[in-house]
């Protein structure tokens, strides 16, 4: 199992607090020693940082925490390798271009026989099941929608249909984004939480850290955090139901398919 | 004009010395205030760092200098915007996947009417001439070679033919890599230098910095640096001839088309 972390917000927001909790699971409070990565969207651009080293001891992870990059949409992943050796090209999140947009994907679970799924346009660079699944997903989206659809609804339900197909091969919790929307698919385990006014205190489970969001936010801020397991022990997280797909935009849950 | 910097080496090598010189040109000794980026290959994987801020004042540039990432193949670019606003998605180097390889491209110059060139598979995410040219280049390579050719020679001469086509539209100095080879095309201005035993001292033009490579290397190391303009004033750089394409691998110049 790996750990996923995503964020969708209506203003550029730093994810340091949640990221600090997640990184502890990379070798300290969790067994995910096989690398980590994070993607920060900034407009149509996307910054990604990857490191095959355990996140709890990663210099790059420390940089990311210190530098406090603000972004409205973030996808992060820490890895416990099951398929594919530990190396940079096997480190999530993966990214590809479709319709002139950066698409980013991070996955946890194992997908038996996923490499039998035929690929067309996109090819894996590494050897993980996850990247193969991502390439297949984008190929199928591209095939169904050669151009970016005006209305997102049809695309959302198509992504859900594809997620269900992947579920048949095993466990397929994933976070996916096209730079506007954050798609969160729960195969077995995924939870989310929306923070908005009135803001309060949040206390990390995995580190001695509490933050008072009243001091960090404005009353208009809306920030949703999605994680494999809740990161705080004093807030009420929504546990997603297996097989469901939630779509978030600008901090708000826009739709859920289940 | 922008500034290009590339490195090809037979062992993972840090580029801090050359990078330090280049970064000075981003706002201090040079006018290239409109962002910078760098890509470090590591096996088939690739780390990229981008920043729309001037490199001379960029926190991320300082991180890259301090962190001293070692890589056998690096492409870097600092930007003076002419087409396309200053933002993350317009910051070189650009990257795309072809044949399951990471391709990276950085360009300096202006290409009149390049956006008239038809695109297929690859679409720009930003609005620069350079990214459009890169997408066109990869489309044409993919069209000619649907699969990665066993023999590189045909691919190299095809890239040269495409570079000449782009030259017709204006100025097109570029660095391109498929993770194995570094392609350096000189349209107007590009120089390179190979360092190998016996190593000596090198003195940066753009900063008060001298390094004695005898202390930094082993006798077997071979490192080639390619830059828009020579970065040191006490070594003999090879100035490339306009219209030529040089291909480097493992620190060595493997071929030159002119």
């Amino acid at each position: 199992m790996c750990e996923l972390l995503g964020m969708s917000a209506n203003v550029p927001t730093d994810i340091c607090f949640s990221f600090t909790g997640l990184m502890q699971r990379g070798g300290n409070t969790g067994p995910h020693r096989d690398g980590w990565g994070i993607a920060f969207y900034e407009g149509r651009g996307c910054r990604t940082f990857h490191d095959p080293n355990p996140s709890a001891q990663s210099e790059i992870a420390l940089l990311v925490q210190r530098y406090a990059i603000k972004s409205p949409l973030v996808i992060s992943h820490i890895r416990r390798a099951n398929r594919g050796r530990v190396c940079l090209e096997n480190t999530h999140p993966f990214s590809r271009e479709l319709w002139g947009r950066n698409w980013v994907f991070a996955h946890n679970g194992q997908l038996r026989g996923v490499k039998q799924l035929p690929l067309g346009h996109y090819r894996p660079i590494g050897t993980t099941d996850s990247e193969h699944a991502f390439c297949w997903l984008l190929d199928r989206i591209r095939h169904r929608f050669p151009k970016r659809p005006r209305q997102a609804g049809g695309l959302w339900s198509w992504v859900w249909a594809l997620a269900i197909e992947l579920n048949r091969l095993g466990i397929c919790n994933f976070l996916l984004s096209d730079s506007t929307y954050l798609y969160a698919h729960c195969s077995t385990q995924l939870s989310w939480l929306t923070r908005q006014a009135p803001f309060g205190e949040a206390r990390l489970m995995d580190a001695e850290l509490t933050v008072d969001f009243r001091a960090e936010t404005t009353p208009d801020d809306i920030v949703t955090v999605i994680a494999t397991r809740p990161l705080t022990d004093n807030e009420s997280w929504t546990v997603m139901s297996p097989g469901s797909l939630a779509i978030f935009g600008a901090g708000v849950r826009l739709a859920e398919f289940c």
Side-chain angles (χ1 to χ4, degrees), chain A:
Chain A
M1 281 290 286
C2 308
E3 298 259 353
L4 295 168
L5 171 65
M7 186 195 75
S8 168
N10 64 343
V11 289
T13 303
D14 84 59
I15 196 170
C16 291
F17 176 71
S18 300
F19 187 71
T20 299
L22 184 76
M23 290 299 107
Q24 298 309 310
R25 295 178 182 177
N28 278 355
T29 60
H32 314 90
R33 305 187 152 279
D34 302 324
W36 65 279
I38 189 165
F40 299 88
Y41 282 98
E42 190 177 309
R44 285 183 162 214
C46 190
R47 299 177 191 282
T48 60
F49 298 88
H50 293 92
D51 197 340
N53 301 313
S55 52
Q57 291 107 51
S58 166
E59 281 206 44
I60 297 181
L62 291 174
L63 302 182
V64 171
Q65 278 162 278
R66 274 199 299 266
Y67 189 57
I69 295 165
K70 286 179 185 280
S71 164
L73 210 168
V74 177
I75 289 179
S76 183
H77 178 275
I78 54 177
R79 179 168 185 236
R80 185 177 190 180
N82 40 51
R83 300 284 169 81
R85 67 187 183 91
V86 177
C87 59
L88 186 60
E89 64 266 34
N90 285 345
T91 307
H92 308 223
F94 304 105
S95 54
R96 293 289 189 280
E97 172 265 316
L98 169 62
W99 309 323
R101 302 292 180 113
N102 272 310
W103 287 68
V104 167
F105 178 81
H107 164 242
N108 90 31
Q110 275 174 278
L111 297 166
R112 278 179 306 279
V114 71
K115 292 184 179 177
Q116 309 307 315
L117 294 177
L119 298 180
H121 186 104
Y122 301 96
R123 301 282 165 163
I125 292 165
T127 56
T128 61
D129 287 356
S130 305
E131 190 185 11
H132 191 104
F134 177 43
C135 291
W136 174 82
L137 205 58
L138 287 189
D139 272 332
R140 303 275 280 137
I141 292 171
R142 187 183 188 106
H143 183 261
R144 175 75 168 261
F145 299 100
K147 289 183 175 180
R148 184 164 186 262
R150 286 258 169 92
Q151 301 298 328
L155 172 61
W156 294 350
S157 54
W158 183 235
V159 171
W160 184 47
L162 297 171
I164 298 303
E165 275 195 62
L166 288 174
N167 275 350
R168 296 206 188 95
L169 302 178
I171 296 174
C172 189
N173 302 294
F174 70 73
L175 296 175
L176 172 73
S177 180
D178 59 6
S179 82
T180 303
Y181 302 113
L182 179 55
Y183 300 78
H185 176 60
C186 174
S187 168
T188 56
Q189 195 179 28
L190 208 56
S191 298
W192 61 274
L193 168 77
T194 299
R195 296 188 181 115
Q196 54 195 318
F199 290 95
E201 273 196 353
R203 186 175 61 237
L204 282 183
M205 284 180 188
D206 301 85
E208 287 294 329
L209 185 60
T210 299
V211 69
D212 182 352
F213 284 108
R214 282 170 294 216
E216 310 271 322
T217 53
T218 74
D220 301 330
D221 295 2
I222 304 176
V223 181
T224 293
V225 176
I226 303 126
T228 300
R229 295 177 289 138
L231 290 160
T232 58
D233 54 16
N234 67 326
E235 298 175 292
S236 59
W237 291 70
T238 302
V239 177
M240 291 177 68
S241 54
S244 64
L245 175 76
I247 292 98
F248 300 89
V252 176
R253 190 188 61 170
L254 301 171
E256 182 155 0
F257 297 81
C258 49

